[in-house]
Amino acid sequence: MFFIDTLELEGLGNRSYLAGGAHTAVAVDPPRDVDQVLAVAARRGVQISHVVETHVHNDYVTGGLDLARLTGAVYHVPAAARVSFAHTPVNDGDTFAVDDGITLRALATPGHTPHHTSYVLEEQGEAVAVFTGGSLLIGTVGRPDLVEPRLTEELARAQHASAHRLAAELPDDTEVLPTHGFGSFCSSAQADGDATTIGKEKAGNDALVQGVDAFVAGLLAGLDDVPAYYAHMGPANAAGPAPLDLTPPPVADAADIAARLAAGEWVIDLRNRIAFAQGHVAGSFNFEADGKIAAYLAWLIPWGKPVTLLAESPEQLAKAQRELTRVGIDRPAAAATGEPAKWISANDELRDFPRATFADLAALDPYEHRILLDVRRDSERAAGWIEGSVHIPIHQLHRRQDEVPAGVVWVHCAGGMRAGIAASLLDAAGRHVVAVDDSFDAARSAGLPMVTGPRSDD
């Protein structure tokens, strides 16, 4: 009997897998922090004999090389991938034994990258699951625009062909196990559900129900901006990431925090947005440890800038440090834990700003001067926005703050997390802000004037 264990990487919106039999197993697209993969293998009582990559990843730093080194496993990377470390190249059709009666077969599925490869898990020669990486996802496919702009349309067409190859060569009941699609920006859309099969995808995935031209047109029209940090992930993975170091960073006191802020370094408060709004170190930014801290901090921060982390507990600090290593922010310059009053000198005061709902916004006197800032992505705003709002996506705000008109800024997103980040950025710049911590669905019911259709402001 085979097993498949799923490792959820919620902060990145990805999944990794460990699959095998009674004695040995294969790790698929492992995360940077391989200790959790080793823990799953230990609970199963199996040896990791193979590590496979579906592609050179653009959204996170892989743990494949380190996992293979620690376990002695064979490290499989698609043959066409340009990497500079020792590995076993995988070509279309290659097979290798995972355990007694359990094999893995490589299927070339270009589209997300030119070299992308899926792996079919077979038991006694029958396909039972396919690890599709960034190829066929749940109700969608991986983005084709992360390699090179000139290749985007060609790769979009390859995604269509690869999806059809998987559908043609695998039984309908084959479980589809993608790496991307659970919030990852590598996906062209959010996954449609939590589990799927080849048969289900044949019935509803655009790549399998639309002709190639219609599919490509729709896919390309729906692409959002590429996270800035992706430019660093591919090269790091191709070079071979260094082993992980999760030892605690140096402890920062109030004077050290002030000096780092004065030097232009980023000081990140990991507490939830409610606590941050109630009192925080002036100049610090709020990226919640329980949110998508890795993706959004890595997207916004100038690459390589030192980071100091402020956390309410050592556990919160350790969790955030682990998340950040997955996107190449390896060693915080310093850190502090505890109450925010300890993070400032006796002569300083904590800053704060108000939070509100869309109902509060609607209740304002119509003659009261205020600015409404929408920090959602382009694709979200296209579905509708509040009349008169200014639109600057969160990942562009840090370099476009001078475009925010003068006045009190009410900032909103779709649910509150990104509004909290944006409010902290503006607050650090000395602006008066109100963070709208509310679901955007409440904007219409609050009576705010809404606009739908093509945008005229972007």
Side-chain angles (χ1 to χ4, degrees):
M1 290 291 293
F2 70 94
F3 73 85
I4 301 173
D5 288 331
T6 301
L7 288 78
E8 296 279 359
L9 305 171
E10 294 182 2
L12 292 176
N14 283 333
R15 289 177 176 176
S16 179
Y17 303 93
L18 186 73
H23 308 290
T24 50
V26 56
V28 182
D29 288 343
R32 180 82 182 281
D33 44 330
V34 299
D35 56 333
Q36 59 180 320
V37 185
L38 294 170
V40 173
R43 288 195 296 270
R44 284 283 184 181
V46 296
Q47 173 69 30
I48 298 176
S49 57
H50 299 272
V51 177
V52 301
E53 304 282 7
T54 57
H55 59 293
V56 175
H57 303 282
N58 285 292
D59 64 327
Y60 71 94
V61 181
T62 181
L65 184 62
D66 197 29
L67 184 60
R69 179 183 62 83
L70 290 170
T71 61
V74 180
Y75 189 25
H76 300 273
V77 178
R82 295 179 177 273
V83 296
S84 57
F85 49 82
H87 64 284
T88 299
V90 175
N91 291 286
D92 185 38
D94 285 354
T95 63
F96 51 89
V98 176
D99 203 300
D100 292 341
I102 301 171
T103 60
L104 210 61
R105 175 166 57 92
L107 279 180
T109 48
H112 187 49
T113 67
H115 59 265
H116 191 283
T117 300
S118 298
Y119 298 90
V120 182
L121 186 70
E122 298 177 337
E123 184 181 41
Q124 304 301 334
E126 299 294 327
V128 293
V130 56
F131 302 104
T132 54
S135 183
L136 187 65
L137 310 185
I138 303 179
T140 184
V141 296
R143 295 178 65 153
D145 61 329
L146 303 181
V147 177
E148 161 59 47
R150 294 171 297 175
L151 298 177
T152 297
E153 182 172 348
E154 175 185 335
L155 290 176
R157 292 181 178 277
Q159 280 288 53
H160 187 270
S162 291
H164 279 262
R165 182 185 185 190
L166 290 165
E169 296 190 16
L170 299 175
D172 283 357
D173 61 355
T174 305
E175 190 173 7
V176 176
L177 301 173
T179 299
H180 303 315
F182 310 96
S184 168
F185 296 118
C186 269
S187 173
S188 61
Q190 178 72 19
D192 182 17
D194 191 58
T196 193
T197 62
I198 289 292
K200 290 179 181 178
E201 293 309 303
K202 286 165 70 172
N205 193 305
D206 284 350
L208 295 171
V209 300
Q210 294 182 346
V212 62
D213 291 337
F215 167 76
V216 169
L219 179 62
L220 299 186
L223 295 174
D224 264 327
D225 288 348
V226 177
Y229 73 95
Y230 278 23
H232 306 280
M233 299 297 95
N237 287 324
L244 191 60
D245 180 1
L246 288 174
T247 56
V251 176
D253 59 16
D256 189 33
I257 293 170
R260 292 184 179 280
L261 283 167
E265 298 182 9
W266 279 37
V267 174
I268 306 301
D269 191 323
L270 301 169
R271 296 174 301 146
N272 68 61
R273 56 187 180 267
I274 300 173
F276 183 87
Q278 291 173 341
H280 55 270
V281 177
S284 63
F285 302 141
N286 182 216
F287 290 80
E288 295 177 298
D290 291 333
K292 293 175 71 68
I293 178 175
Y296 280 107
L297 179 55
W299 196 342
L300 271 64
I301 192 170
W303 196 253
K305 185 175 283 290
V307 173
T308 294
L309 302 178
L310 307 179
E312 61 187 10
S313 67
E315 293 76 20
Q316 186 181 65
L317 173 62
K319 176 183 177 182
Q321 186 177 350
R322 177 180 289 268
E323 288 279 348
L324 293 177
T325 61
R326 294 172 178 167
V327 293
I329 302 177
D330 281 7
R331 295 296 303 158
T337 59
E339 296 296 324
K342 298 179 181 179
W343 303 336
I344 58 173
S345 68
N347 297 324
D348 292 330
E349 293 184 353
L350 295 171
R351 283 184 62 89
D352 61 67
F353 54 75
R355 297 166 51 253
T357 65
F358 283 111
D360 296 324
L361 179 62
L364 288 179
D365 187 308
Y367 295 101
E368 181 176 344
H369 181 61
R370 58 104 178 107
I371 305 301
L372 180 58
L373 176 63
D374 179 352
V375 297
R376 296 174 301 158
R377 295 190 301 277
D378 288 348
S379 59
E380 296 172 284
R381 185 169 169 92
W385 65 95
I386 300 172
E387 183 179 350
S389 61
V390 176
H391 180 222
I392 303 177
I394 182 64
H395 59 276
Q396 299 176 12
L397 180 60
H398 192 62
R399 64 179 185 272
R400 295 178 57 189
Q401 290 188 34
D402 58 351
E403 299 177 31
V404 181
V408 178
V409 183
W410 290 60
V411 57
H412 82 85
C413 59
M417 182 194 74
R418 287 172 293 173
I421 296 173
S424 74
L425 295 175
L426 293 169
D427 174 79
R431 298 296 303 268
H432 294 289
V433 297
V434 178
V436 180
D437 196 353
D438 200 359
S439 168
F440 188 70
D441 292 339
R444 189 182 299 277
S445 59
L448 291 165
M450 304 295 292
V451 180
T452 57
R455 296 192 310 277
S456 59
D457 58 340
D458 292 322

